[in-house]
Amino acid sequence: MAHYFNEPSRTFNEYLLVPGYSSKDCRIENVSLKTPIVKYKKGEEPKITANIPLVSAVMQAVSDDKMAVALAKEGGISFIFGSQSVENQVEMVKRVKSYKAGFVKSDTNLRPDQTLTDVLELKARTGHSTIAVTEDGTAEGRILGLVTSRDYRVSRMDPDTKISEFMTPFEKLIYAKEGCSLSEANDILWDNKLNAVPVIDDNQRLTHFVFRKDYDNHKSNPNELLDSHKRYVVGAGVNTRDYEERIPALVEAGADVLCIDSSEGYSEWQLDTIKWVRERYGDTVKIGAGNVVDKDGFNFLAEAGADFVKIGIGGGSICITREQKGIGRGQASAVIEVAEARDEYFKKTGVYVPICSDGGIVYDYHMTLALAMGADFIMLGRYFARFDESPTNKLNINGNYVKEYWGEGSNRARNWQRYDLGGDAKMKFEEGVDSYVPYAGSLHDNVNLSLNKVKATMCNCGVVSIQELQRDAKLTLVSATSIVEGGAHDVILRDSSQNAIR
């Protein structure tokens, strides 16, 4: 007969942490969030670790090269989405690996024959006020001028005015030559009281920008995650369909770690993919697998050779797998069981296979709960989709700024390759929705706020590392009444915006 679990399927919202003894050393500045990303043997160091336990989801609406750079600066890893051509994904990986700290590729470019209307539309879309005017309107084109907010007055100019009529022409630009150091470029910025300096090659082509606003940012990223060549660490998503073509291209481009993006990982398709990687590359290529929700799924993927295992089916904010198919498990229950299986596997084999909790995070404190329950790191989609650095449009709807956010199982993404149905199967129905999320600003500010909450909670538990939290945390189930008690209640809030869910 069918197997029945005795315990209900529980979510993070049904648990709280119980405080532990806190010594005077339990201070936020003493907490380390360093965590392993790939498997390692007892007594050895993992080949890849992250400085924070956050990675961005393998999603069109979340993880491109811009997100990857921004998250690596904070110490985390982005998995660039694989539901695009191999060529496009490879180019994104290459841009991350070739990124020079402080030197920014221009993403705001126009031609001189375009108009003030185009300037205003581009500024509204990107939020950037410095626009490169190039011959062909591309980031690598021959630069002809620059437009900043000081170059035009909306109230006094015809919207159809050509950019060539009000831009600062090349002859008047102060710029840096390709090959200069960041220190030299910053000297040009400060000596000339500029907000941005274009970096130009010998053929008058734009290569990068250096911005004044980034100066302090670069000094405030002590956790940035770099490889042995001082390049940013980046991940990439793959599938079980075209992996023989996609994986070699991504490895050649410099991807540090791969992740099989699939709706369900306990399958022969993933076994075949991991086996192919091991036969071709041995242990030099790092690849995670999933998703699973119980010990059987974990043991299957660990034995197959996965470098990490991803947990979660149906818990994402845009995922409707449970609603459509009646399959999945509450994220807390899944993490707790898989963490136990991970620890048992480590005791038996001496190999530690990190686990990643994917989905189910609604509030910042859920991150701490996921780590306490045994997750080594957390994959987030909705959380990162809200930020400036996500690749989607920022829109104003009814006076509120939002960003677009859609699932890989939605008709918009049509990522049928992540559903291992065999043959030429395409998507028969949606398992994700197309939606909006409240715009939240910059990744840097939000991640720092969230992780300070995590660190503060860890201090309350009397621990200063994720490993100590996993070992010593005390958790309690909560009743529906205590959930209400935990928030503001029996008062009238001065500001109704305090009710908004972060």
Side-chain angles (χ1 to χ4, degrees):
M1 63 177 290
H3 174 76
Y4 290 87
F5 288 88
N6 293 324
E7 284 291 318
S9 183
R10 299 193 182 277
T11 68
F12 294 132
N13 220 40
E14 297 176 78
Y15 287 89
L16 286 175
L17 284 155
V18 175
Y21 171 73
S22 300
S23 72
K24 292 180 180 179
D25 290 330
C26 290
R27 302 193 305 271
I28 286 178
E29 60 269 26
N30 290 342
V31 174
S32 169
L33 295 179
K34 192 170 183 178
T35 192
I37 299 296
V38 298
K39 68 182 179 183
Y40 60 93
K41 293 181 179 179
K42 187 175 183 179
E44 296 181 356
E45 290 293 321
K47 296 295 184 183
I48 301 175
T49 59
N51 292 326
I52 63 172
L54 306 183
V55 301
S56 66
V58 190
M59 299 177 69
Q60 295 174 10
V62 179
S63 297
D64 65 352
D65 50 298
K66 186 177 178 182
M67 176 63 72
V69 169
L71 187 49
K73 286 180 179 179
E74 304 304 322
I77 301 175
S78 280
F79 285 88
I80 292 177
F81 71 94
S83 52
Q84 59 178 321
S85 70
V86 174
E87 294 75 18
N88 286 348
Q89 190 182 23
V90 162
E91 284 305 309
M92 287 187 181
V93 170
K94 286 182 176 179
R95 285 198 290 271
V96 177
K97 300 307 287 187
S98 64
Y99 184 90
K100 296 167 65 178
F103 292 84
V104 181
K105 281 283 188 182
S106 177
D107 63 355
T108 312
N109 314 282
L110 292 171
R111 301 186 312 274
D113 61 331
Q114 292 180 272
T115 66
L116 177 60
T117 296
D118 296 312
V119 169
L120 299 177
E121 289 177 352
L122 185 59
K123 182 180 177 181
R125 189 165 68 249
T126 65
H128 301 157
S129 57
T130 299
I131 297 173
V133 184
T134 60
E135 202 166 46
D136 58 2
T138 68
E140 296 82 21
R142 183 169 172 267
I143 190 166
L144 302 179
L146 210 62
V147 172
T148 70
S149 55
R150 293 180 297 181
D151 293 314
Y152 57 86
R153 293 282 295 277
V154 175
S155 60
R156 298 187 179 184
M157 290 176 61
D158 187 327
D160 293 327
T161 304
K162 300 287 187 185
I163 290 175
S164 58
E165 296 180 30
F166 60 87
M167 70 182 187
T168 300
F170 176 76
E171 294 75 20
K172 294 184 179 181
L173 288 182
I174 296 173
Y175 59 88
K177 294 290 290 184
E178 185 182 30
C180 72
S181 67
L182 181 59
S183 176
E184 291 168 338
N186 278 322
D187 286 342
I188 295 173
L189 271 176
W190 292 98
D191 291 346
N192 294 279
K193 299 180 180 179
L194 301 172
N195 290 321
V197 169
V199 180
I200 297 167
D201 69 13
D202 292 335
N203 296 315
Q204 201 178 314
R205 292 185 177 276
L206 178 67
T207 64
H208 297 88
F209 271 108
V210 175
F211 292 97
R212 178 191 288 260
K213 66 180 177 62
D214 289 336
Y215 179 77
D216 290 332
N217 288 345
H218 299 311
K219 301 184 75 173
S220 64
N221 289 320
N223 283 329
E224 63 182 358
L225 192 60
L226 305 173
D227 65 15
S228 59
H229 300 289
K230 304 300 181 184
R231 303 173 302 177
Y232 286 128
V233 172
V234 62
V238 299
N239 61 67
T240 60
R241 299 285 183 154
D242 65 3
Y243 60 88
E244 293 185 17
E245 174 191 5
R246 191 175 294 270
I247 290 177
L250 291 170
V251 171
E252 178 67 23
D256 297 279
V257 56
L258 307 175
C259 178
I260 301 174
D261 178 36
S262 174
S263 64
E264 202 274 308
Y266 192 2
S267 75
E268 189 175 1
W269 304 100
Q270 296 218 3
L271 176 65
D272 289 345
T273 304
I274 298 169
K275 182 179 179 181
W276 182 88
V277 169
R278 294 294 170 244
E279 289 176 347
R280 184 181 178 100
Y281 297 103
D283 290 327
T284 60
V285 168
K286 304 303 180 184
I287 183 167
N291 287 19
V292 299
V293 294
D294 66 3
K295 64 181 180 181
D296 293 338
F298 170 84
N299 288 327
F300 173 79
L301 292 176
E303 291 292 342
D307 285 292
F308 65 84
V309 173
K310 201 144 61 80
I311 308 162
I313 295 176
S317 61
I318 42 69
C319 184
I320 55 173
T321 295
R322 297 179 194 173
E323 176 183 323
Q324 292 281 57
K325 297 165 66 175
I327 192 168
R329 195 177 190 188
Q331 191 67 5
S333 296
V335 171
I336 291 168
E337 179 171 329
V338 173
E340 290 175 353
R342 186 257 334 265
D343 294 342
E344 290 172 3
Y345 188 83
F346 181 51
K347 289 179 182 177
K348 181 176 70 173
T349 66
V351 176
Y352 188 91
V353 182
I355 57 175
C356 169
S357 177
D358 177 19
I361 302 294
V362 181
Y363 303 104
D364 287 345
Y365 81 89
H366 289 173
M367 297 180 187
T368 321
L369 286 171
L371 296 171
M373 290 172 181
D376 295 286
F377 56 103
I378 303 160
M379 180 170 279
L380 300 158
R382 179 197 63 87
Y383 178 84
F384 287 114
R386 304 172 301 144
F387 303 151
D388 289 318
E389 292 82 2
S390 72
T392 62
N393 294 320
K394 182 174 78 170
L395 306 172
N396 188 316
I397 297 180
N398 298 325
N400 297 310
Y401 282 105
V402 298
K403 294 206 75 176
E404 297 176 301
Y405 180 46
W406 60 92
E408 290 295 291
S410 67
N411 279 332
R412 182 169 182 173
R414 299 210 63 79
N415 183 8
W416 63 270
Q417 293 94 336
R418 72 193 304 270
Y419 300 96
D420 300 321
L421 303 176
D424 296 322
K426 304 292 184 181
M427 281 179 57
K428 306 297 185 184
F429 51 85
E430 285 189 294
E431 291 190 40
V433 299
D434 196 346
S435 65
Y436 303 109
V437 289
Y439 168 67
S442 75
L443 180 146
H444 174 78
D445 292 341
N446 282 277
V447 165
N448 274 274
L449 176 61
S450 297
L451 293 182
N452 276 331
K453 292 179 184 178
V454 171
K455 290 179 179 180
T457 307
M458 290 171 64
C459 289
N460 292 145
C461 294
V463 301
V464 292
S465 72
I466 292 174
Q467 293 72 32
E468 289 179 2
L469 180 67
Q470 292 171 342
R471 183 192 67 207
D472 298 337
K474 296 182 290 184
L475 295 106
T476 181
L477 281 166
V478 296
S479 67
T481 304
S482 65
I483 292 175
V484 174
E485 179 185 67
H489 60 91
D490 301 314
V491 295
I492 300 172
L493 296 179
R494 290 177 179 270
D495 182 0
S496 61
S497 68
Q498 292 180 44
N499 286 322
I501 294 176
R502 281 184 45 76

